[in-house]
Amino acid sequence: MLLEKFSNICAAAGDEQDMRSAIQECISGWVDEIGINPLGNLVAKKEGKDTSRSLLLTAHMDEVAFIVKSTEKSGLIKFYPIGGLVGKILPGASVVIGRKRLPGVIASRSYHLISEEERKKVPEVKDLFIDVGAASKEEVKDVNTGEYIYFKSLFFTQNGLHYGKAFDDRTGCTALCETLRHYSREKPPISLVATFTVQEEVGLRGGATAAYGLKNVVFNLNLEGTTCTDRELKTSYSPITELGKGPAVTFMDRTSITGRRLFDFVVSVAQKQGIPFQLKRGVAGGTDAGLIHLTEEGIPSVTISVPVRYIHSPWNLMSGEDFKNYCALAKAIVQEAPDFS
Amino acid sequence: MDIGGKEFIFSEFGVSGREERVKAVVEEFAGTLVDEIVYDITGSLICIKKGQGKNRKKVMLTAHMDTIGFVVTYIDEKGFLRFAEVGEQPEAYLLGKRVIFENGTLGVIGIEKREHEKKLSTEKMFIDIGAANREEALKRVGIGEMCAVYSPVVATEHILTGGWMDDRIGCYVLLAVMERLKQHPHDILFVFSAQEEVGLRGAQTSSYRFEPDVGLSVDATGSSDLPEGELISSCALGKGAGIKIMDRSVIVPKKIVHYLIELAEKHHISWQRDIMNTGRTGAQAIQLSRGGVLAGGISVPVRYLHSAGEMCSAADVQACIELVSAFCQDKILL
Amino acid sequence: MCTHYHYVHRNSKNGTRLEKLKQYIKELSRVPSVSGSEDVLAELLISFMEGKVDSCSRDTIGNVIGVKKGSEQGGVRLLFEAHLDQIGLMIHRIEENGILRFTGIGGVNPATICGKRVRVYGREELFGIIGMKPPHIATKEETSRVSQISELFIDIGCRSQEEASKYVAPGDTAVVDYYSDWLLGDHFTSGGLDNRAGVYALLGLVDLLQESRHIHEVLLLFSVQEEVGLRGAKVAGYALTPDVAVVCDVTFGDPVGNPTEITTGKGPVVGKGPNFYPPLVHKICEIARREDIPFQEEVEERPGGTDAYYLQITKRGVYTAGIYVPLRYMHSPVEVINVKDVYRASKLMLYLTFEKNILSGIDQNRGVSEQGY
């Protein structure tokens, strides 16, 4: 299953090659041309029935991960986070390092050895280290600084819920590929530019270059995985999104405010097609749409996301039903796109 | 002070990203005064007035028509609304304020417990529109809708005060200049930009699209002339039009600063230096667009920025109108 | 003729080149160049480049841009960049009693400016002191915490606002004054070495280019206003649209409190991480090993902090790399570099200018910026 395949691939900002190859392999028979821009975005083009306009579809290939900062004399490895990761979820995590996917663990001192005081403190990333079983710097000489480190979590499904890593944003990549598959044998109503971006997690870098040079773009549909906080109980507060209520439509986040007409259009498509949906009820965070909508003369841009519990941690959780509806909404928006003006 | 039929600019609703109403009234006013009106994707309104000279330059003037406000993120069973800020605002300026929605619904910002007043956070605040329950509330407002603090501007002989002065006062200056301008050598693009308070967004796309030769942003700037006040801005009320030297978004090229000072002196317009150690303006969006554009700023000094009682001096506003007009009528050999 | 031969032969010139570098350092270390007021240094750089490049100019925001054509048709547009501005101060208000309140331009560290002499650029250059009470009368509280910039002031010796206004006006800039001295072991101390060190490296590169037949088109960018938001590089990147951009800035080489082991004297630092194109980084390290140029590596986990941030995302994207000069005590009046590191950075950049397969690497099918992706 495509989502499982993509979720298990290791790719982070600056190291997206495995996702690029996998996506290329997947979609090459479905599109007219594929290219890679200097930043590393994978761009696929598909001619539509109306060739005078096009739709830009985006999803980012990178997940949050780590990078080797240095190897110590002791054989332990120091690291930096790539993207938003906090120390709280790291001690005790299993990871894989470098192209050879060397197994390692993010060390946590034996519980018995930690004082009462210290047990209450959340470690900072700079105080953590990875143990691969080496006893000296010599034994890890094949591990170079700048190599990437990923969570070791393998995808599985249980009772209709999906578990795995990198749902932000392998879900978007999957939905985008599924949309391209849908239009593989018949032309989409208008031309499609499907861009799988890089380095979103370290500053929307691929997004900054994704829309440059494109002409007559009706709008950009950005596909994401977003926070679902329905398990955190807050009095009188709404969770940002809820599992089981369908894909979420963003009206505003820290990097963009969805134009009123485009927002209304997406909502009306969902209603018309009978696809359950919810609004993303929080304005934190940013997405590629933030830089895409301001590229050159500007493009209207909207983000739809599948609710994912525990994003930016080793194990994410989402509803299979939500994911199906998310893919359906993406396709429906493409199908109705010519009606947007 | 005679606002001369332009009151609408101070009272029409328009929060970042939802500026349609204020845009409509500006367009109506400008329609008879300019040659062309263009929209941009972010919601900005560009009014183009062609010049009479040969070798016409493209001169861009920007003022942002969006105000700060709030967006509704949740409506609870009892009909109270939770919200997030649109644009930065000190929490201390929110408590007990009246807010207005686009459709005219009024509300008040409340706080859960008195003890929360000691350490203010919008998480503990809510907007009360007087609805009995969620259902009733939903008849009037929805999630994702925006509102802003409602504090209508009052103009007296000496001062103007009220909410939304940042940057409706700049828009007012542009409208007044638009009215007065008869003879001018260059094409003037009056840009009423959108989404400035959330990141200079409208000014960015308009600058890219129109490729001006030179630009000025007309914005509100701080005024640090309060008792025992901290020094944030070098401006003071009543000392004239602010000629921008620097803020946190732009360092204006010296030749533009000197040019504007000379222009002000020549026309006997009172002016002062505008140096702010915080804040940002559309001048940055112009200056950093494409391969770089000459850009500067003319500012109206405003006390209590982003509060419901923003205050500026009528004389300063008049000076800004005169300086911007003088700029438009000049050959601008920079 | 293989490039190796050219360079083994010419390494005998290392001594004279180092002297030339020291000459630039002597002429330029006292020239102020606060963000937004870079004209004096910019004009000097243009005069240094005259006759050595095919064209040299300043753009709207003040960036200095030099172009030197390469010998081959199929060469790429290769940009070398260093920002020529430094942090400084701006006079904000003249108080009634003649003292000057100021604000910082760029990341001024208030801990390093207390009690220091400053050079104020008013009608003429004049000295001032950032005054500080002596320990005898200052309270314990005052001496034990760092004063914020808003609490400090510059004293130029005037006793009233009227008197001070004869010499300065709000908007005038100032720099914290410094001594420029040679320390032991080829170390040099001065203020403003962030990023004068990068400027020296680029000037060294320009001279080295005179002696070689480089194949790529070399663009030299001395950018303005980096310290206040990477502004010059953003617009220059758009206007020049290079294929490859190499940023020459400074990085931390502190002996104490440094999270990495980078230090001065061990060679320039090559940046690794998402902001840099891995095959290009790999190539630079390969060249360094091949040519016996000592170098160090630094991992940057998030793009930001140097002009590479905007250069990399210009238009469709640019292949970027960073070659940094290690520097101690950044943003203080007593920054320290090792001049050998500067020279090595120049050499490393030079080798790129005739590296035939500069863009070969893992992703063979990536385009250059003008392709439609």
Short mmCIF file of all heavy atoms in Angstrom, two decimals, chain C residues 212-241:
data_model
loop_
_atom_site.label_atom_id
_atom_site.label_comp_id
_atom_site.label_asym_id
_atom_site.label_seq_id
_atom_site.Cartn_x
_atom_site.Cartn_y
_atom_site.Cartn_z
N SER C 212 44.99 32.91 -13.31
CA SER C 212 44.51 31.60 -13.76
C SER C 212 43.52 31.75 -14.90
O SER C 212 42.98 32.82 -15.13
CB SER C 212 43.83 30.87 -12.61
OG SER C 212 42.53 31.40 -12.43
N ARG C 213 43.31 30.64 -15.61
CA ARG C 213 42.29 30.68 -16.66
C ARG C 213 41.09 29.88 -16.17
O ARG C 213 41.00 28.68 -16.39
CB ARG C 213 42.86 30.05 -17.93
CG ARG C 213 43.83 30.97 -18.67
CD ARG C 213 44.06 30.48 -20.08
NE ARG C 213 42.89 30.71 -20.91
CZ ARG C 213 42.46 29.89 -21.85
NH1 ARG C 213 43.06 28.74 -22.06
NH2 ARG C 213 41.41 30.18 -22.58
N HIS C 214 40.20 30.57 -15.51
CA HIS C 214 39.06 29.86 -14.96
C HIS C 214 38.01 29.64 -16.04
O HIS C 214 37.84 30.45 -16.94
CB HIS C 214 38.47 30.65 -13.78
CG HIS C 214 38.10 32.06 -14.14
ND1 HIS C 214 36.83 32.42 -14.49
CD2 HIS C 214 38.83 33.19 -14.17
CE1 HIS C 214 36.79 33.71 -14.74
NE2 HIS C 214 38.00 34.21 -14.55
N ILE C 215 37.31 28.51 -15.96
CA ILE C 215 36.37 28.19 -17.01
C ILE C 215 34.98 28.76 -16.78
O ILE C 215 34.27 29.08 -17.72
CB ILE C 215 36.27 26.66 -17.25
CG1 ILE C 215 35.87 25.93 -15.94
CG2 ILE C 215 37.58 26.11 -17.76
CD1 ILE C 215 35.70 24.44 -16.14
N HIS C 216 34.60 28.92 -15.51
CA HIS C 216 33.25 29.38 -15.24
C HIS C 216 33.18 30.89 -15.22
O HIS C 216 34.18 31.58 -15.03
CB HIS C 216 32.77 28.84 -13.88
CG HIS C 216 32.77 27.36 -13.82
ND1 HIS C 216 32.01 26.57 -14.66
CD2 HIS C 216 33.46 26.49 -13.04
CE1 HIS C 216 32.22 25.30 -14.38
NE2 HIS C 216 33.10 25.22 -13.40
N GLU C 217 31.97 31.41 -15.43
CA GLU C 217 31.77 32.86 -15.33
C GLU C 217 31.71 33.19 -13.84
O GLU C 217 30.85 32.65 -13.14
CB GLU C 217 30.47 33.26 -16.02
CG GLU C 217 30.25 34.76 -15.98
CD GLU C 217 28.96 35.20 -16.63
OE1 GLU C 217 28.15 34.32 -16.98
OE2 GLU C 217 28.77 36.41 -16.77
N VAL C 218 32.61 34.02 -13.40
CA VAL C 218 32.67 34.32 -11.97
C VAL C 218 31.94 35.61 -11.66
O VAL C 218 32.20 36.66 -12.26
CB VAL C 218 34.14 34.42 -11.49
CG1 VAL C 218 34.20 34.91 -10.06
CG2 VAL C 218 34.81 33.06 -11.62
N LEU C 219 30.99 35.54 -10.74
CA LEU C 219 30.28 36.73 -10.26
C LEU C 219 30.76 36.97 -8.83
O LEU C 219 30.81 36.04 -8.04
CB LEU C 219 28.77 36.48 -10.25
CG LEU C 219 28.16 35.97 -11.57
CD1 LEU C 219 26.73 35.51 -11.35
CD2 LEU C 219 28.20 37.07 -12.61
N LEU C 220 31.11 38.20 -8.55
CA LEU C 220 31.57 38.52 -7.20
C LEU C 220 30.55 39.47 -6.57
O LEU C 220 30.27 40.52 -7.12
CB LEU C 220 32.94 39.19 -7.27
CG LEU C 220 33.99 38.26 -7.86
CD1 LEU C 220 34.99 39.03 -8.69
CD2 LEU C 220 34.69 37.48 -6.75
N LEU C 221 29.99 39.10 -5.46
CA LEU C 221 28.98 39.92 -4.83
C LEU C 221 29.41 40.29 -3.43
O LEU C 221 29.62 39.43 -2.56
CB LEU C 221 27.65 39.14 -4.77
CG LEU C 221 26.52 39.74 -3.94
CD1 LEU C 221 26.10 41.09 -4.49
CD2 LEU C 221 25.32 38.79 -3.90
N PHE C 222 29.62 41.60 -3.23
CA PHE C 222 29.83 42.10 -1.87
C PHE C 222 28.48 42.69 -1.48
O PHE C 222 28.10 43.75 -1.98
CB PHE C 222 30.92 43.18 -1.86
CG PHE C 222 32.27 42.66 -2.23
CD1 PHE C 222 32.71 42.68 -3.55
CD2 PHE C 222 33.13 42.15 -1.26
CE1 PHE C 222 33.97 42.21 -3.89
CE2 PHE C 222 34.39 41.68 -1.59
CZ PHE C 222 34.82 41.71 -2.91
N SER C 223 27.75 42.00 -0.62
CA SER C 223 26.38 42.45 -0.39
C SER C 223 26.27 43.36 0.83
O SER C 223 27.10 43.32 1.75
CB SER C 223 25.46 41.24 -0.22
OG SER C 223 25.77 40.55 0.95
N VAL C 224 25.20 44.16 0.82
CA VAL C 224 24.94 45.10 1.91
C VAL C 224 23.87 44.56 2.83
O VAL C 224 23.17 43.60 2.50
CB VAL C 224 24.49 46.47 1.35
CG1 VAL C 224 25.57 47.10 0.51
CG2 VAL C 224 23.19 46.34 0.58
N GLN C 225 23.72 45.17 3.97
CA GLN C 225 22.62 44.93 4.90
C GLN C 225 22.35 43.47 5.25
O GLN C 225 21.21 43.07 5.43
CB GLN C 225 21.34 45.59 4.36
CG GLN C 225 21.48 47.10 4.23
CD GLN C 225 20.18 47.80 3.91
OE1 GLN C 225 19.10 47.37 4.33
NE2 GLN C 225 20.28 48.89 3.17
N GLU C 226 23.42 42.69 5.36
CA GLU C 226 23.22 41.30 5.79
C GLU C 226 22.83 41.29 7.25
O GLU C 226 21.95 40.55 7.68
CB GLU C 226 24.50 40.49 5.55
CG GLU C 226 24.37 39.00 5.84
CD GLU C 226 24.67 38.63 7.29
OE1 GLU C 226 25.06 39.52 8.07
OE2 GLU C 226 24.47 37.45 7.63
N GLU C 227 23.50 42.13 8.04
CA GLU C 227 23.32 42.09 9.49
C GLU C 227 21.92 42.50 9.94
O GLU C 227 21.55 42.25 11.08
CB GLU C 227 24.37 43.00 10.17
CG GLU C 227 25.80 42.55 9.97
CD GLU C 227 26.17 41.31 10.80
OE1 GLU C 227 25.30 40.75 11.50
OE2 GLU C 227 27.34 40.90 10.73
N VAL C 228 21.16 43.14 9.04
CA VAL C 228 19.81 43.54 9.44
C VAL C 228 18.74 42.70 8.74
O VAL C 228 17.58 43.09 8.71
CB VAL C 228 19.55 45.03 9.18
CG1 VAL C 228 20.34 45.87 10.16
CG2 VAL C 228 19.88 45.43 7.75
N GLY C 229 19.14 41.57 8.19
CA GLY C 229 18.13 40.71 7.58
C GLY C 229 18.45 40.16 6.21
O GLY C 229 17.55 39.82 5.46
N LEU C 230 19.72 40.03 5.89
CA LEU C 230 20.15 39.38 4.65
C LEU C 230 19.57 40.06 3.42
O LEU C 230 19.23 39.42 2.42
CB LEU C 230 19.73 37.89 4.64
CG LEU C 230 19.85 37.12 5.96
CD1 LEU C 230 19.24 35.73 5.82
CD2 LEU C 230 21.31 36.98 6.37
N ARG C 231 19.42 41.39 3.50
CA ARG C 231 18.62 42.07 2.48
C ARG C 231 19.33 42.21 1.13
O ARG C 231 18.73 42.00 0.08
CB ARG C 231 18.21 43.45 2.99
CG ARG C 231 17.28 43.34 4.19
CD ARG C 231 16.91 44.67 4.77
NE ARG C 231 16.32 44.50 6.08
CZ ARG C 231 16.18 45.47 6.97
NH1 ARG C 231 16.61 46.69 6.68
NH2 ARG C 231 15.63 45.22 8.14
N GLY C 232 20.58 42.62 1.14
CA GLY C 232 21.28 42.83 -0.12
C GLY C 232 21.34 41.57 -0.96
O GLY C 232 21.09 41.59 -2.16
N ALA C 233 21.65 40.44 -0.30
CA ALA C 233 21.79 39.18 -1.03
C ALA C 233 20.47 38.75 -1.65
O ALA C 233 20.44 38.15 -2.72
CB ALA C 233 22.31 38.09 -0.10
N LYS C 234 19.38 39.07 -0.99
CA LYS C 234 18.07 38.66 -1.51
C LYS C 234 17.83 39.29 -2.88
O LYS C 234 17.48 38.60 -3.83
CB LYS C 234 16.98 39.08 -0.53
CG LYS C 234 15.58 38.76 -1.01
CD LYS C 234 14.56 39.06 0.10
CE LYS C 234 13.22 38.42 -0.20
NZ LYS C 234 12.33 39.25 -0.98
N VAL C 235 18.07 40.60 -3.01
CA VAL C 235 17.78 41.23 -4.29
C VAL C 235 18.87 40.95 -5.32
O VAL C 235 18.60 40.79 -6.50
CB VAL C 235 17.53 42.74 -4.15
CG1 VAL C 235 16.29 42.98 -3.30
CG2 VAL C 235 18.70 43.49 -3.58
N ALA C 236 20.13 40.84 -4.85
CA ALA C 236 21.20 40.54 -5.80
C ALA C 236 21.03 39.14 -6.38
O ALA C 236 21.25 38.91 -7.56
CB ALA C 236 22.56 40.67 -5.13
N GLY C 237 20.60 38.21 -5.53
CA GLY C 237 20.36 36.85 -6.00
C GLY C 237 19.35 36.84 -7.13
O GLY C 237 19.53 36.19 -8.15
N TYR C 238 18.29 37.61 -6.95
CA TYR C 238 17.25 37.69 -7.97
C TYR C 238 17.78 38.28 -9.26
O TYR C 238 17.54 37.77 -10.35
CB TYR C 238 16.08 38.55 -7.47
CG TYR C 238 14.94 38.59 -8.44
CD1 TYR C 238 13.88 37.68 -8.34
CD2 TYR C 238 14.92 39.51 -9.49
CE1 TYR C 238 12.84 37.70 -9.26
CE2 TYR C 238 13.89 39.52 -10.41
CZ TYR C 238 12.85 38.61 -10.29
OH TYR C 238 11.83 38.62 -11.21
N ALA C 239 18.55 39.37 -9.14
CA ALA C 239 19.04 40.05 -10.34
C ALA C 239 20.09 39.23 -11.07
O ALA C 239 20.15 39.21 -12.29
CB ALA C 239 19.61 41.42 -9.96
N LEU C 240 20.95 38.52 -10.33
CA LEU C 240 22.06 37.81 -10.95
C LEU C 240 21.71 36.38 -11.35
O LEU C 240 22.30 35.83 -12.27
CB LEU C 240 23.27 37.78 -10.00
CG LEU C 240 23.86 39.14 -9.65
CD1 LEU C 240 24.91 38.99 -8.55
CD2 LEU C 240 24.48 39.78 -10.88
N THR C 241 20.78 35.77 -10.63
CA THR C 241 20.38 34.37 -10.86
C THR C 241 21.56 33.47 -11.19
O THR C 241 21.70 32.97 -12.30
CB THR C 241 19.34 34.27 -11.99
OG1 THR C 241 18.40 35.33 -11.87
CG2 THR C 241 18.57 32.96 -11.89
#
